Amino acid sequence: MPAGYEIRAGGEAVQIRRRNQSMSDLKLRRLTELNLRLREDLDRPRVKVSEAAMGLINYTSQTKDFMVPQLWGPVDKRDDPYAPQQSGGCCTIM
């Protein structure tokens, strides 16, 4: 054999095979996790759009909204959570 050559023991091929195996394992794990998330999405209860829209309409027509006085009429200041709060004095000492 010429002087510049070495005999390989096959170590590089084993490392490449292990790296490919670990990449395959990683891909399999990712696909399994994705599959699990998709199954959870499938199991989630669904509501028809018409039912959701009707529920929203019922809620807005039955719940008093202080931000829309044109619909509900004037709001008493003590009942309005958005009214500026009156403090007891002009300043606060800490």
Side-chain angles (χ1 to χ4, degrees), residues 45-66:
R46 306 286 180 197
V47 177
K48 293 181 180 179
V49 174
S50 57
E51 292 174 10
M54 189 53 95
L56 186 60
I57 290 170
N58 289 338
Y59 176 79
T60 55
S61 64
Q62 295 171 2
T63 304
K64 191 170 186 176
D65 188 358
F66 297 108

Side-chain angles (χ1 to χ4, degrees), residues 64-68 75-77 79-85:
K64 191 170 186 176
D65 188 358
F66 297 108
M67 299 299 284
V68 190
V75 179
D76 189 14
K77 294 293 181 192
D79 293 336
D80 188 0
Y82 302 109
Q85 299 295 322

Side-chain angles (χ1 to χ4, degrees), residues 15-31:
Q15 288 177 352
I16 291 172
R17 223 176 293 127
R18 285 182 186 159
R19 189 177 324 131
N20 287 343
Q21 181 66 33
S22 66
M23 292 293 279
S24 297
D25 290 341
L26 180 63
K27 287 180 183 179
L28 177 64
R29 186 166 22 117
R30 286 182 180 170
L31 285 172

